[in-house]
Amino acid sequence: RNRAGAGAGAGQAWAEASDGTRQRLLVFWRSPAEWADLVLKWAEETGRVGNVETVFSLTDGDDTEGEAFHGVPRELIMVALQELV
């Protein structure tokens, strides 16, 4: 997995090749660790730590509506979840 990061003042951007062909690029507007923190905070606040959740339930489920990670691409959540392992 290839990652690149660039910081500029108040804003930062992260990018990651999302497949082996390098024909798709996943651009993060938060770092993977920041996304992971948001998911973990949600799990802690809703009593879901230790429960099984699907990627679909995180990105598209009714229980995550209004959360910053609701509706993000599946690949982004997968990278963020790797931060929690």
Side-chain angles (χ1 to χ4, degrees):
R1 185 165 26 169
N2 295 322
R3 286 186 181 179
Q12 293 188 356
W14 288 264
E16 177 167 331
S18 65
D19 62 10
T21 65
R22 296 182 184 232
Q23 293 189 15
R24 280 187 59 179
L25 186 66
L26 185 60
V27 178
F28 298 85
W29 53 99
R30 290 185 166 109
S31 72
E34 289 173 315
W35 284 113
D37 288 344
L38 290 171
V39 173
L40 181 58
K41 181 180 174 195
W42 169 81
E44 290 171 341
E45 290 176 351
T46 59
R48 287 182 164 87
V49 173
N51 290 354
V52 174
E53 296 290 332
T54 65
V55 171
F56 180 84
S57 73
L58 292 174
T59 60
D60 295 292
D62 293 339
D63 293 337
T64 60
E65 249 181 66
E67 298 294 332
F69 55 86
H70 184 87
V72 300
R74 182 185 73 82
E75 295 90 347
L76 188 151
I77 284 291
M78 295 298 291
V79 171
L81 293 175
Q82 287 298 313
E83 295 286 324
L84 298 174
V85 176

